[in-house]
């Protein structure tokens, strides 16, 4: 806080810090509790900051993914911070049980339902002029991608690399998800990449 001389400097890590082990476990348990409550119709878990680790009160975005015997049953969340992390995960967990793309999760699925949480880091703009350039820029196993134009947007979380490890296929599948042709003009898109802290089953 003081210096004798012409200047002082401080270095800080950029980006969102990783959750500690205790906070991560608490967040994953919360997601599981919310899913169980939503499917069975019980009381909603308490997400007040009084019972949660302080890190879960920070405003951060997250996704919740549900799988039953390896089959996707829901994946819902946000890429931009809308609420404290605990509240964001609770909301995503509830909505994932009723993902509009899929039938609602049934009570008999709960015993074999894998719940995972992806805490999303800051979005980083990627400027490319071709599909090939994007394939070269994306970091396999690490990056999530968000593609958007004036009318459409589509994202793949980094967890998708588990089932699609080839960068070319990863990008092609994401273009298809968004309704773009494989030769879409990347210069007309706004592209971001991001990393996540993945909690729970892969």
């Amino acid at each position: 806080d003081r210096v004798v001389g012409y200047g002082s400097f401080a270095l800080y890590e950029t980006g969102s810090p990783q959750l500690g082990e205790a906070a991560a476990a608490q967040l994953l348990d919360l997601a599981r509790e919310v899913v169980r409550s939503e499917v069975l119709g019980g009381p909603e878990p308490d997400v007040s900051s009084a019972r949660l680790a302080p890190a879960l009160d920070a405003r951060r975005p997250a996704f919740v993914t549900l799988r039953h015997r390896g089959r996707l049953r829901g994946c819902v969340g946000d890429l931009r911070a809308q609420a404290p992390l605990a509240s964001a995960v609770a909301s995503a967990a509830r909505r994932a049980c009723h993902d509009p793309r899929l039938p609602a999760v049934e009570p008999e699925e709960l015993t074999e339902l894998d719940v995972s949480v992806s805490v999303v880091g800051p979005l980083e703009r990627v400027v490319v002029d071709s599909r090939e350039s994007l394939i070269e820029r994306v970091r396999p196993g690490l990056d999530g991608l968000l593609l958007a134009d004036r009318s459409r947007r589509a994202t793949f979380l980094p967890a998708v690399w588990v089932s699609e490890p080839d960068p070319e296929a990863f990008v092609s599948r994401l273009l298809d998800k968004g309704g773009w042709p494989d030769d879409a003009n990347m210069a007309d898109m706004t592209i971001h990449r991001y990393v996540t802290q993945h909690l729970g089953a892969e």
Side-chain angles (χ1 to χ4, degrees):
D1 59 354
R2 292 185 180 186
V3 62
V4 177
Y6 293 101
S8 60
F9 305 89
L11 302 179
Y12 300 91
E13 292 186 5
T14 59
S16 298
Q18 295 275 298
L19 294 178
E21 186 176 340
Q26 196 172 42
L27 190 64
L28 186 58
D29 284 345
L30 173 65
R32 289 168 174 157
E33 290 176 26
V34 171
V35 168
R36 185 171 182 82
S37 169
E38 185 68 20
V39 173
L40 297 180
E44 292 190 4
D46 178 18
V47 295
S48 66
S49 58
R51 80 175 188 96
L52 298 174
L56 305 188
D57 200 37
R59 294 177 70 89
R60 296 184 64 184
F63 276 74
V64 172
T65 302
L66 309 179
R67 291 187 178 275
H68 180 256
R69 298 179 180 175
R71 183 167 55 97
L72 183 66
R73 296 297 287 111
C75 183
V76 176
D78 292 296
L79 291 175
R80 300 187 187 276
Q82 306 290 336
L85 183 54
S87 297
V89 165
S91 174
R94 282 191 293 270
R95 289 182 289 150
C97 295
H98 309 282
D99 190 322
R101 301 168 298 173
L102 301 162
V105 175
E106 299 289 345
E108 56 268 22
E109 296 179 272
L110 287 175
T111 56
E112 297 182 273
L113 193 71
D114 291 321
V115 179
S116 61
V117 175
S118 296
V119 182
V120 180
L123 299 182
E124 177 190 350
R125 181 77 181 271
V126 178
V127 179
V128 297
D129 57 7
S130 68
R131 177 174 170 274
E132 290 70 27
S133 297
L134 179 59
I135 291 169
E136 290 175 2
R137 293 285 302 278
V138 70
R139 298 170 294 183
L142 180 64
D143 286 336
L145 278 181
L146 170 64
L147 309 182
D149 61 18
R150 292 182 179 180
S151 60
R152 291 168 290 188
R153 68 199 304 262
T155 191
F156 270 165
L157 295 172
V160 175
W161 289 107
V162 174
S163 60
E164 193 56 85
D166 177 63
E168 186 170 350
F170 184 94
V171 170
S172 291
R173 278 186 57 193
L174 182 55
L175 286 168
D176 183 63
K177 179 183 179 183
W180 293 287
D182 216 34
D183 60 352
N185 185 358
M186 294 291 177
D188 291 340
M189 294 185 187
T190 301
I191 302 171
H192 291 87
R193 67 183 180 185
Y194 57 91
V195 298
T196 65
Q197 182 180 359
H198 185 83
L199 314 176
E202 292 291 343

